[in-house]
Amino acid sequence: MTANIVLMPGDGIGPDIADEAKRVLEILATHHGLDYTLNTVDVGGAAIEKSGDPLPDASLAAAREADAILFGAIGGPQWDTQPRDQRPESGLLRLRSELGLFANLRPAILFPQLAEASALKSGVVANLDVLIVRELTGGIYFGKPADKCSNAQGQRAAYNTMRYDESEIARIGRAAFEAARVRNKRLCSVDKANVLHVSQLWRDVMNELAADYPDVQLTHMYVDNAAMQLVRDPNQFDTIVTGNLFGDILSDTAAMLTGSIGMLPSASLDAHGKGMYEPVHGSAPDIAGTDRANPLAMILSLAMMCRYSLARGDLADRVESAVGRVLDMGLRTPDIANSSETVTGTSGMGAAIADMLI
Ligand code: IPM
Ligand code: MG
């Protein structure tokens, strides 16, 4: 079967890292039997410049037909003053919502070679392997009503709604229990049930689901404590499940434990295993086009794509092992380098991974 892959490079360093993903895909095709077509489409600021829309109809249509989507990064200061629906971020949120990509898997794994690059003591992060399962199409990101307004005194005001229906909680809960089941069978649900109605419902539904997964140990933690525990003793966690906003915040924290946010991939899956794969990091406009971005989060996202959407777990293993071996050689992009290592650029790192795959 020929896999129909849609590539959305986006903005900032997005196109830089997308080029390295293409390089890796080509090697997987020529050397390891990956059969694919690649369709590159505009999204984010790049699309706004051409058509005024961060998610043009043609791009959405291509994404709908794809078997998998590889997404670079979006956003930049030049679009920050645009009306909200004409910002790059709105294109990404619409894409997640329109495609029903509710299950966002964000693994935080420390490559042992990078223990010194972590902001935390190497003993605290040793063997780190946490999976954050973030709900991606609901919660305060999408809740209605949401608007700007003014109060009775004419002051500016604004509001958003954090809402979850029980079916939305149950489907991300099931995805998280399933994920925990094939890991170390420990699931920590993170909420703010001491304050928020929506979190109490979240907790109730998680507890109800637990009956169907007797082999998985479910615990609960308030989000403020979870933020603290992630930097105090991250190894206490196996799998974390949480809502959209809390997951956004905690996944950046978890990323930094691994040394650099430039190392972290993610998968956003729908109910049928179709997925969008993107690095957790943003578009880093300050280093765009300078050959300094770390392409490894993108390349590791490509590996997740092979595993979850293309039924080619063997290729995922190959790519992940190539990343480990290139790090073993001492090759580093600037974000993960310390003085003793060989610093290379975006394309140097991509080329090294590609060579390792031959
Ligand atoms: C992420 C990003 C996005 C989010 C932004 C770019 C809209 O921070 O994927 O974590 O908040 O979900
Ligand atoms: Mg984020």
Side-chain angles (χ1 to χ4, degrees):
M1 185 206 82
T2 305
N4 169 2
I5 302 172
V6 162
L7 180 65
M8 298 185 161
D11 310 321
I13 59 169
D16 305 358
I17 59 176
D19 283 347
E20 303 316 313
K22 276 198 262 185
R23 194 200 293 259
V24 170
L25 283 172
E26 282 162 20
I27 295 287
L28 293 180
T30 49
H31 289 77
H32 303 292
L34 175 65
D35 184 9
Y36 73 99
T37 57
L38 192 69
N39 180 6
T40 303
V41 303
D42 290 320
V43 69
I48 294 173
E49 296 307 314
K50 289 192 191 160
S51 66
D53 182 349
L55 182 62
D57 291 345
S59 300
L60 178 59
R64 277 194 205 289
E65 279 167 26
D67 295 309
I69 302 147
L70 254 184
F71 191 98
I74 44 134
Q78 62 270 54
W79 302 292
D80 281 352
T81 48
Q82 303 264 79
R84 191 155 296 283
D85 62 338
Q86 287 163 40
R87 286 200 201 175
E89 289 79 0
S90 302
L92 175 59
L93 295 182
R94 264 190 64 213
L95 195 56
R96 290 171 176 172
S97 171
E98 296 272 352
L99 299 183
L101 304 171
F102 68 94
N104 184 211
L105 310 183
R106 296 190 162 187
I109 294 170
L110 181 79
F111 282 88
Q113 302 90 332
L114 299 183
E116 297 302 325
S118 173
L120 270 66
K121 292 190 196 113
S122 49
V124 175
V125 292
N127 305 316
L128 182 80
D129 181 356
V130 179
L131 175 67
I132 297 185
V133 180
R134 170 188 176 194
E135 199 291 324
L136 203 59
T137 53
I140 197 166
Y141 272 54
F142 294 96
K144 296 279 181 312
D147 212 344
K148 296 184 279 192
C149 60
S150 54
N151 74 2
Q153 291 75 41
Q155 290 174 356
R156 289 172 302 160
Y159 52 93
N160 290 87
T161 301
M162 190 188 281
R163 177 189 171 119
Y164 273 114
D165 292 359
E166 61 179 323
S167 57
E168 291 178 286
I169 303 171
R171 74 176 176 175
I172 191 68
R174 289 194 184 285
F177 274 105
E178 300 285 349
R181 191 168 246 183
V182 294
R183 292 173 48 88
N184 286 324
K185 305 188 192 314
R186 288 186 293 115
L187 179 62
C188 179
S189 172
V190 171
D191 62 36
K192 190 70 187 172
N194 50 345
V195 176
L196 305 176
H197 292 301
V198 59
S199 280
Q200 187 60 56
L201 177 64
W202 180 280
R203 191 173 280 222
D204 292 346
V205 173
M206 289 295 163
N207 279 330
E208 288 155 22
L209 289 178
D212 292 343
Y213 302 88
D215 51 326
V216 177
Q217 181 199 72
L218 174 69
T219 56
H220 303 276
M221 197 178 278
Y222 299 137
V223 62
D224 48 349
N225 186 26
M228 182 174 75
Q229 296 299 335
L230 263 179
V231 290
R232 194 186 73 85
D233 176 22
N235 274 315
Q236 72 186 277
F237 297 107
D238 172 36
T239 307
I240 291 175
V241 62
T242 191
N244 207 340
L245 180 63
F246 299 158
D248 179 45
I249 299 166
L250 294 181
S251 61
D252 268 28
T253 307
M256 208 55 225
L257 303 176
T258 68
S260 170
I261 198 166
M263 292 298 299
L264 264 83
S266 79
S268 305
L269 306 176
D270 74 2
H272 315 287
K274 171 169 168 170
M276 179 160 89
Y277 300 83
E278 57 175 312
V280 170
H281 63 69
S283 58
D286 52 322
I287 59 165
T290 66
D291 197 41
R292 273 188 292 164
N294 183 347
L296 293 179
M298 182 65 157
I299 290 170
L300 291 167
S301 298
L302 187 163
M304 290 185 91
M305 173 181 84
C306 292
R307 179 173 292 125
Y308 290 109
S309 288
L310 307 187
R312 290 296 306 264
D314 60 316
L315 298 183
D317 292 344
R318 273 185 198 278
V319 171
E320 287 162 0
S321 134
V323 170
R325 281 180 290 138
V326 166
L327 293 176
D328 280 338
M329 286 164 42
L331 205 62
R332 302 283 187 271
T333 44
D335 56 308
I336 50 175
N338 65 34
S339 51
S340 63
E341 295 142 350
T342 313
V343 177
T344 187
T346 312
S347 56
M349 183 58 91
I353 304 291
D355 286 349
M356 203 53 100
L357 285 165
I358 292 175

